[in-house]
Amino acid sequence: MSEHTLARKDILGLRGMSREEITLILDTAASMLEIVDRDIKKVPTLRGKSVLTLFYEPSTRTRSSFELAAKYLSADTLSISTQTSSVQKGETLLDTARNIEVMGVDTVVIRHSASGASHFLARHLKAHVINAGDGMNEHPTQGLLDMFTIRTHLGRLEGLRVLIVGDILHSRVARSNIWGLLTMGARVAVAGPATLLPPRVAELGVDVYTDLDLALRHADVVNVLRLQLERQKKGLFASAREYNEFWGLTPERLRASQPDLLVLHPGPMNRGVEITSEVADGPQAVILEQVKNGVAVRMAILYLLMGGGE
Amino acid sequence: MSERLLIRGGTVIDPAHGYHGPGDVLVDNGVIAAVGVNLDADGAKVIDAGGFIVAPGFVDMHVHLREPGEEYKEDIASGTRAAAAGGFTSVVCMANTRPPIDTEGLVRFVLERVRQTGVVNVFPVAAITRGLEGKELTEAGSLRAAGAVALSDDGHPVADAELMRAAVQYAAMFGLPVIDHCQDSSLSADGVMHQGYWSTVLGLRGQPGEAEALQVARDVMLARMTGAHIHIAHVSSRHSVELIRRAKEEGLNITAEVTPHHLVLTDAIVNDMGYDTNTKTNPPVREEADRRALREALRDGVIDAVATDHAPHQQDDKLVEYEYAAPGIVGLETAIGLLSTELVEPGWLDWGRLVAAMSWAPARLLGLRRGTLGVGEMADITIIDPAYRWVVDPQRFYSKSRNTPFAGRSLVGRAHMTIVAGHVVMQEGKVLE
Amino acid sequence: MALQEKARIMDEDAIRRALSRIAHEIAERNLDVDNLVFIGIRRRGVPLAERLAAEIQRIEQKKPPVGVLDITLYRDDLTTKHDTPMVHKTDVPFTVAGKDVILVDDVLYTGRTARAALDAVIDLGRPRTIQLAVLVDRGHRELPIRADYVGKNVPTSQREVIEVRLAEVDGVNEVWIVEKTD
């Protein structure tokens, strides 16, 4: 194995991934971004390889991003989307995956509502498994593209103060960001209503706030999470209006923060709830850039997993 | 059974009589004939117990035998053989079969199947409510007459406090304890593991220890209100331990059990084993402070008994996503080895206390005439080799199911011989019938 | 496997003279200097391309643009290697469509790198011509490819390796034949 190879079969999460591995992925993504900008967006690297996107939850954006990434590298793609869980469908996840594997798929990209579903699959498949979001656990490619975007704008990750705002409890995006950023030497804080912060979250090594105004004072970057409005029914917050008042990223809050505060959002946005349009469309937001960087990061991962022989 | 057996040269532990020392045990015609030193063989078959512990037959008061209805997971034949292999001479089987054991006829069915196919004693528990639905009481008196030794809706917490009050009061009239699976389902929500550091790290929904303790607190109050005997199944939380400790200090009729896995594991196992569903149990294994509290409570007698909560499941219930997996693990064949290795060896417990918690204590609290080496009592005897080294290999289980997180674990200590009513049913790991 | 230095076949002076000659050949053959662009193949093709462009400037008083090509993603041997080679950025900050592209590398050997580079350049646009300039041609072609400009032809055995050392990368300007010793 050389220093240019990921020493792993699967990408299941950023927890446990080394600084060297993350750096390799981000550096490779920087090279891939040039291809995304070309007129002819295609290189022959993964010709003859096949990538399956297996999505048990709807997500147009992440699935499209993976498919384009694979296509730009000349891999063939196959897509299975189902809203029903394996239990309801009658066929287990393992049976589905094994059936597809024998057809010769090299990499399975899985999105699933159950935390650990990608680990389960990885343990039982010879194919590479990429976690495209599993329950409340991790969404490693989102974490990587967020870090890539931050690094592009601020030149580094080490020593930066990154604030993640919103429903940390249910967020795989938050977890992947926390693990990746801490590994890269950033200082991470989370902010949100106490009911949406996971128990003992401070033990992950992050600063914890319920007061967003206070938290923003110490931030170089803010990553605003999508609020699932149905959490209100479970009593985890009182109303969208009050959420916006206390935890929404508004122009007033932006003005009171660092002048060059970088604003990220993994999308899709609830405009007027966790972020107002003026902020989302403003000069400090890099939300569309994140989407584009996502393709480059996923190209990097596909290349690093499948580019070598075995 | 007219054969005479002399178990010679072992260390006899008989908690019922406070005896712990060298001795021989003479069995005649299926009952204990004498316990003493240098007993005369007088033509009896001699079993050399040098280096071994000779204990009253172990009683597992919390086992799921799955018969009737889920015989593909376990049945009385395989479950009682697993019990014999693990050193248990008696098991108490839970009522959550299909259909649930909620009528006299079903109790009799189980006992008839035990007579036909079992190799150890089986004492059935009947449901508290019909169909385990938590609505209407079962016929406690008739169930008792048919042979039920306790009532439990195990697997389903009885949420309705007034119904529970009635159930314990009614059952107490017939001398039946009520065994409660304590879990406030609104607070435990859909938690699939312990709520704590690891649930946050792994992104799995957690259930807090307080969800169990909340219902333990209610049961303590019901025991105080009614004077009835309530037994808390598989205690997992330090908060429950504290409530039980205080209830006992007050003199209430509360008893409790703990499983080997709650004594041995913490929630870190879910991470260590990468979401392996064989780490999923209900209640879940909890954190270090809970494990320590459980060990101390067992040592101090706040928790009366060890019970395995042996819960067999086949692969199709376990080889799925963590949150969809059936909770529970098999426990009969690993219990002694785990407790010997993890509790006795490091000095948490001595063999005397462990033997008591696995024989005399559960027998006494259920009113069974077992768990003692008293002369004239049934000759149910477990002989333990405390120094035997082995590695857990689920393929060698007598149970039909292999769902254990302990596969591959190196253990010290196992049951050397299981004797039921004077009859050797297991020897050196082999069940003889 | 170790490498042992066998002979120095070019020194600083020889390299300078070779590049100067190549530049003159390029200028002769491409009368429309405004249409010339140089693309160096990573890694040592890049400083060579820079030097050739500087020579052209000396001759024609006009410096053609220079781009950097990373051919990793075009290699045909990825699946036979255990390692995934590091992908570096391709940086061609000008259009190649309609241009006369001078592709520059240090050594021409099997021709596979040049083949990959041709694909890579064509993916960037449709040049009028692509010409290949190399400092050393050591023979042993596996594909029907030849260089338009060659600094030095060096007959070699398969056991030998040509090492081009350039000041921008290696601190010195020289070319060595080294031999594999097992």
Side-chain angles (χ1 to χ4, degrees):
Chain A
M1 289 286 165
S2 81
E3 61 194 299
H4 298 148
T5 304
L6 285 181
R8 53 180 73 237
K9 167 179 160 281
D10 312 295
I11 304 285
L12 306 181
L14 299 189
R15 186 163 68 95
M17 197 179 271
S18 69
R19 187 184 277 230
E20 291 70 30
E21 286 177 290
I22 291 173
T23 303
L24 171 63
I25 293 169
L26 299 185
D27 289 350
T28 306
S31 302
M32 295 295 181
L33 196 57
E34 180 265 326
I35 296 167
V36 180
D37 282 328
R38 287 187 193 174
D39 287 340
I40 301 171
K41 300 179 206 325
K42 192 146 205 111
V43 294
T45 315
L46 297 182
R47 209 172 44 189
K49 301 282 186 182
S50 53
V51 175
L52 165 70
T53 59
L54 180 58
F55 274 53
Y56 285 90
E57 278 184 344
S59 163
T60 314
R61 181 179 323 210
T62 304
R63 190 165 50 75
S64 309
S65 180
F66 268 108
E67 285 186 22
L68 283 177
K71 285 176 172 157
Y72 292 169
L73 294 171
S74 297
D76 293 309
T77 60
L78 167 70
S79 166
I80 297 180
S81 269
T82 170
Q83 303 257 4
T84 54
S85 77
S86 57
V87 167
Q88 292 157 331
K89 196 172 145 205
E91 182 177 59
T92 67
L93 172 58
L94 188 56
D95 282 339
T96 304
R98 278 178 173 161
N99 273 285
I100 289 153
E101 184 174 51
V102 295
M103 295 185 220
V105 166
D106 297 290
T107 292
V108 177
V109 176
I110 180 172
R111 159 70 61 94
H112 198 290
S113 62
S115 301
S118 62
H119 296 71
F120 171 69
L121 212 56
R123 203 161 42 235
H124 291 101
L125 291 189
K126 287 194 265 312
H128 303 286
V129 174
I130 299 174
N131 182 3
D134 63 330
M136 312 186 296
N137 177 37
E138 282 221 45
H139 189 355
T141 56
Q142 180 73 43
L144 288 164
L145 76 90
D146 289 347
M147 288 194 284
F148 183 84
T149 307
I150 296 168
R151 200 181 73 163
T152 303
H153 279 270
L154 302 178
R156 67 195 163 103
L157 293 167
E158 174 125 37
L160 286 181
R161 297 166 304 172
V162 181
L163 171 66
I164 307 169
V165 179
D167 181 359
I168 312 295
L169 175 62
H170 298 95
S171 177
R172 52 197 173 210
V173 175
R175 281 177 180 76
S176 284
N177 265 281
I178 289 170
W179 301 125
L181 286 165
L182 288 176
T183 300
M184 298 309 286
R187 177 150 184 195
V188 183
V190 297
T195 43
L196 292 175
L197 297 175
R200 298 168 67 170
V201 64
E203 289 175 43
L204 305 187
V206 301
D207 300 321
V208 183
Y209 296 90
T210 50
D211 180 341
L212 179 57
D213 296 306
L214 192 60
L216 277 168
R217 273 187 230 160
H218 307 287
D220 303 309
V221 178
V222 61
N223 196 342
V224 183
L225 301 176
R226 175 180 170 78
L227 181 71
Q228 303 284 344
L229 296 171
E230 60 268 24
R231 307 278 182 225
Q232 188 191 346
K233 292 192 199 104
K234 288 197 147 186
L236 297 176
F237 66 97
S239 71
R241 190 206 62 77
E242 180 160 289
Y243 186 91
N244 178 255
E245 185 181 335
F246 287 95
W247 296 285
L249 196 62
T250 58
E252 297 74 42
R253 287 209 165 91
L254 206 59
R255 276 194 285 278
S257 307
Q258 291 217 18
D260 49 356
L261 179 76
L262 196 67
V263 177
L264 285 81
H265 190 299
M269 290 182 278
N270 293 304
R271 287 170 182 266
V273 183
E274 73 264 10
I275 191 166
T276 61
S277 287
E278 195 179 333
V279 175
D281 303 330
Q284 285 166 257
V286 290
I287 298 167
L288 283 174
E289 225 176 288
Q290 286 174 270
V291 177
K292 177 178 173 183
N293 291 341
V295 178
V297 161
R298 288 168 182 128
M299 287 171 78
I301 283 176
L302 290 171
Y303 168 71
L304 290 168
L305 284 184
M306 289 190 291
E310 191 48 48
Chain B
M1 184 57 52
S2 59
E3 194 185 353
R4 284 156 55 87
L5 286 178
L6 179 63
I7 303 163
R8 180 188 272 169
T11 299
V12 173
I13 299 178
D14 182 11
H17 300 90
Y19 185 78
H20 186 159
D24 304 339
V25 176
L26 182 67
V27 174
D28 189 5
N29 206 21
V31 298
I32 309 277
V35 179
V37 284
N38 299 324
L39 295 182
D40 190 354
D42 194 20
K45 184 182 162 195
V46 174
I47 293 167
D48 179 10
F52 298 158
I53 292 164
V54 180
F58 280 9
V59 178
D60 188 342
M61 66 174 298
H62 195 133
V63 169
H64 298 273
L65 291 178
R66 305 294 188 213
E67 185 174 354
E70 292 179 302
E71 289 86 351
Y72 67 101
K73 296 182 177 184
E74 196 80 283
D75 58 21
I76 287 163
S78 65
T80 56
R81 279 167 181 76
F88 293 96
T89 57
S90 298
V91 295
V92 175
C93 64
M94 285 294 150
N96 62 339
T97 49
R98 293 187 185 172
I101 303 169
D102 58 359
T103 63
E104 217 182 316
L106 279 157
V107 173
R108 291 192 203 283
F109 167 81
V110 168
L111 289 171
E112 177 59 20
R113 293 293 294 161
V114 170
R115 202 183 58 73
Q116 291 166 354
T117 67
V119 297
V120 304
N121 307 303
V122 175
F123 299 99
V125 168
I128 302 172
T129 62
R130 288 175 205 267
L132 306 174
E133 285 174 353
K135 289 173 189 155
E136 292 173 64
L137 294 186
T138 54
E139 299 170 332
S142 310
L143 291 165
R144 164 85 202 178
V149 298
L151 300 182
S152 180
D153 277 3
D154 182 64
H156 304 259
V158 179
D160 185 323
E162 164 58 9
L163 183 78
M164 187 65 174
R165 180 200 60 80
V168 299
Q169 233 170 4
Y170 193 80
M173 283 191 301
F174 301 102
L176 286 177
V178 172
I179 302 171
D180 200 14
H181 175 139
C182 287
Q183 178 183 334
D184 182 289
S185 298
S186 60
L187 189 58
S188 68
D190 300 316
V192 296
M193 71 174 292
H194 172 61
Q195 184 181 94
Y197 173 77
W198 285 110
S199 65
T200 287
V201 168
L202 294 165
L204 287 169
R205 282 192 305 272
Q207 48 168 292
E210 286 83 351
E212 175 183 271
L214 199 54
Q215 186 152 323
V216 171
R218 179 201 71 178
D219 285 355
V220 167
M221 293 188 195
L222 293 178
R224 185 187 292 126
M225 259 174 91
T226 62
H229 177 189
I230 302 178
H231 177 79
I232 311 297
H234 41 56
V235 175
S236 66
S237 161
R238 62 187 186 275
H239 307 300
S240 305
V241 167
E242 198 40 48
L243 291 162
I244 294 162
R245 184 189 307 275
R246 278 191 265 149
K248 287 196 161 182
E249 282 166 7
E250 193 189 329
L252 300 180
N253 204 355
I254 290 278
T255 56
E257 72 192 29
V258 62
T259 74
H261 50 276
H262 288 104
L263 290 166
V264 168
L265 299 176
T266 64
D267 54 352
I269 191 73
V270 186
N271 177 61
D272 295 344
M273 291 181 65
Y275 294 91
D276 188 322
T277 55
N278 284 325
T279 63
K280 183 177 175 182
T281 60
N282 192 24
V285 295
R286 301 195 187 272
E287 57 200 62
E288 183 51 39
D290 296 293
R291 180 169 72 170
R292 172 178 288 267
L294 292 172
R295 289 175 171 188
E296 289 169 356
L298 179 62
R299 182 193 63 204
D300 300 344
V302 171
I303 291 178
D304 303 81
V306 170
T308 66
D309 195 6
H310 177 81
H313 290 295
Q314 287 292 310
Q315 283 219 339
D316 46 349
D317 296 302
K318 283 290 192 182
L319 263 184
V320 294
E321 299 87 325
Y322 202 86
E323 61 188 60
Y324 303 147
I329 59 176
V330 290
L332 285 167
E333 293 171 80
T334 50
I336 289 179
L338 284 171
L339 297 170
S340 163
T341 309
E342 303 289 340
L343 270 71
V344 178
E345 289 277 317
W348 280 98
L349 280 186
D350 59 21
W351 275 109
R353 174 63 195 131
L354 183 58
V355 166
M358 296 186 78
S359 58
W360 171 236
R364 190 180 42 169
L365 72 87
L366 289 174
L368 309 177
R369 266 191 79 175
R370 306 279 160 170
T372 158
L373 295 176
V375 171
E377 298 294 337
M378 194 67 80
D380 288 357
I381 298 167
T382 299
I383 302 177
I384 296 160
D385 178 352
Y388 186 84
R389 293 182 177 275
W390 60 294
V391 174
V392 177
D393 176 5
Q395 297 310 316
R396 301 180 66 171
F397 284 171
Y398 282 89
S399 170
K400 287 185 181 180
S401 293
R402 316 262 177 266
N403 51 312
T404 175
F406 300 113
R409 206 178 255 245
S410 296
L411 300 178
V412 182
R414 69 160 180 179
H416 173 77
M417 189 177 280
T418 307
I419 299 169
V420 178
H423 191 61
V424 177
V425 296
M426 187 282 284
Q427 190 167 359
E428 292 175 62
K430 286 196 178 57
V431 177
L432 301 177
E433 48 187 271
Chain C
M1 188 189 75
L3 292 170
Q4 194 177 17
E5 289 185 349
K6 211 172 155 191
R8 191 174 72 174
I9 53 171
M10 293 178 94
D11 59 10
E12 176 149 4
D13 234 29
I15 293 173
R16 188 170 52 240
R17 275 184 274 116
L19 291 176
S20 174
R21 178 172 50 75
I22 291 174
H24 277 95
E25 288 174 19
I26 292 171
E28 271 171 40
R29 200 177 314 166
N30 298 278
L31 296 176
D32 184 3
V33 176
D34 287 342
N35 205 45
L36 267 185
V37 299
F38 281 77
I39 294 180
I41 300 172
R42 261 185 212 278
R43 191 169 177 208
R44 288 179 182 75
V46 178
L48 290 175
E50 288 285 357
R51 292 187 196 184
L52 284 172
E55 286 289 330
I56 295 287
Q57 185 177 23
R58 198 152 41 228
I59 300 162
E60 304 283 346
Q61 282 76 49
K62 210 160 192 186
K63 192 181 180 204
V66 179
V68 175
L69 193 66
D70 186 273
I71 56 119
T72 311
L73 296 171
Y74 292 85
R75 290 169 68 148
D76 61 359
D77 58 353
L78 284 177
T79 51
T80 62
K81 296 173 86 75
H82 279 317
D83 296 346
T84 40
M86 182 70 198
V87 181
H88 292 282
K89 201 167 174 178
T90 285
D91 184 14
V92 179
F94 46 80
T95 176
V96 298
K99 296 288 182 184
D100 294 304
V101 175
I102 310 297
L103 203 51
V104 184
D105 205 358
D106 55 349
V107 178
L108 179 60
Y109 181 28
T110 61
R112 288 179 192 273
T113 301
R115 196 281 310 157
L118 288 171
D119 284 352
V121 170
I122 287 165
D123 275 359
L124 297 175
R126 187 178 185 280
R128 186 163 78 183
T129 63
I130 302 178
Q131 300 158 40
L132 178 62
V134 298
L135 185 61
V136 175
D137 182 346
R138 59 167 295 194
H140 302 291
R141 214 76 77 239
E142 294 170 3
L143 296 173
I145 280 174
R146 61 162 183 81
D148 300 275
Y149 313 99
V150 178
K152 188 179 178 72
N153 282 292
V154 182
T156 57
S157 79
Q158 298 269 25
R159 290 183 60 82
E160 290 168 336
V161 176
I162 298 291
E163 265 194 26
V164 174
R165 299 170 190 168
L166 298 175
E168 295 89 332
V169 181
D170 311 288
V172 291
N173 289 303
E174 42 189 39
V175 179
W176 282 80
I177 296 186
V178 297
E179 190 166 30
K180 296 176 195 167
T181 57
D182 300 290

